[in-house]
Amino acid sequence: MLGITDLSTYLAGLALIILLPGPNSLYVVSVAARLGPRTGYRAAAGVLCGDTVLMTLSAGGVASLLQASPVAFTVVKFAGAGYLTWLAAGMLRGAVALWRGRTARNAAAGDADGGPAKQEKAERPFRRALVVSLFNPKAILFFVAFFVQFVDPGYAHPALSFLALGAWAQLFSFTYLTVLIFSGTYLAAAFRRRRRLTAGLSAGAGALFLGFAAKLSLAGTV
């Protein structure tokens, strides 16, 4: 069907890969926990758009370029690692402020200045999630390495094969992010009165982002 071989194996592998934690999913659940489902979906839209761009670039041969050019791969790699580090620093600063009680004391002032709407504008979840997705050269290489295994080389229209595989990937990703968004919102409501516990969770998320940045900076081409 549409030049796809062994669709059931592809879907099983795709589900396992999407369930693995990464910076994109972690950012979405963090935003949803702090600012609610609507903002979480804005971040999810950024992730889906970023993945769509990466799939298109992969099908167009950019992955081969990154593999062939160590300099290009290194530039993209460290740009992505730097951005993840910047996000982690923001999370850690927020955790410290929350631990000290500043966020709670400033809540009333924030509501007066626009509340959640102003916080969402400052967060810019779509743009941040999009940048996290795009500055990940390993994802570009992954899409080619994984997708190509399920495309029939004899099929006359391989672009349709990549389109169908990408559509399945986006459907799985959207479903998973939806679960994360509402799980994050539920956890935020449960821990709303436990400021220090929430601060600890935020610090943990920041530490994980630092780990993702370190892993990306040490990654090599595949």
Side-chain angles (χ1 to χ4, degrees), residues 33-116:
R34 289 183 285 114
L35 300 176
R38 179 179 176 180
T39 308
Y41 273 112
R42 289 184 183 275
V47 171
L48 296 176
C49 287
D51 285 349
T52 299
V53 171
L54 293 185
M55 292 176 196
T56 304
L57 292 176
S58 298
V62 173
S64 298
L65 174 63
L66 291 179
Q67 286 180 311
S69 175
V71 173
F73 183 87
T74 299
V75 169
V76 176
K77 176 178 69 174
F78 282 109
Y83 190 74
L84 289 177
T85 301
W86 180 74
L87 288 179
M91 290 181 177
L92 293 173
R93 285 196 303 269
V96 171
L98 190 60
W99 184 273
R100 294 177 177 176
R102 293 175 184 173
T103 302
R105 288 196 296 269
N106 292 333
D111 291 340
D113 294 336

Side-chain angles (χ1 to χ4, degrees), residues 87-212:
L87 288 179
M91 290 181 177
L92 293 173
R93 285 196 303 269
V96 171
L98 190 60
W99 184 273
R100 294 177 177 176
R102 293 175 184 173
T103 302
R105 288 196 296 269
N106 292 333
D111 291 340
D113 294 336
K118 184 175 181 179
Q119 293 179 44
E120 179 178 336
K121 184 177 180 179
E123 179 75 26
R124 295 178 179 176
F126 177 87
R127 189 179 73 175
R128 290 192 178 188
L130 179 64
V131 173
V132 169
S133 294
L134 293 179
F135 280 97
N136 188 356
K138 298 294 287 185
I140 302 177
L141 299 176
F142 159 75
F143 282 129
V144 165
F146 186 64
F147 280 13
V148 75
Q149 299 179 49
F150 302 94
V151 176
D152 183 357
Y155 187 63
H157 305 286
L160 291 178
S161 303
F162 276 94
L163 179 63
L165 293 173
W168 276 110
Q170 295 292 57
L171 177 61
F172 275 45
S173 182
F174 176 78
T175 302
Y176 177 57
L177 291 176
T178 294
V179 173
L180 291 181
I181 286 169
F182 286 99
S183 297
T185 305
Y186 173 79
L187 290 175
F191 295 128
R192 187 165 293 147
R193 293 188 179 89
R194 303 179 182 181
R195 187 177 67 246
R196 292 194 172 186
L197 178 59
T198 304
L201 293 175
S202 180
L208 284 175
F209 264 76
L210 287 177
F212 289 132

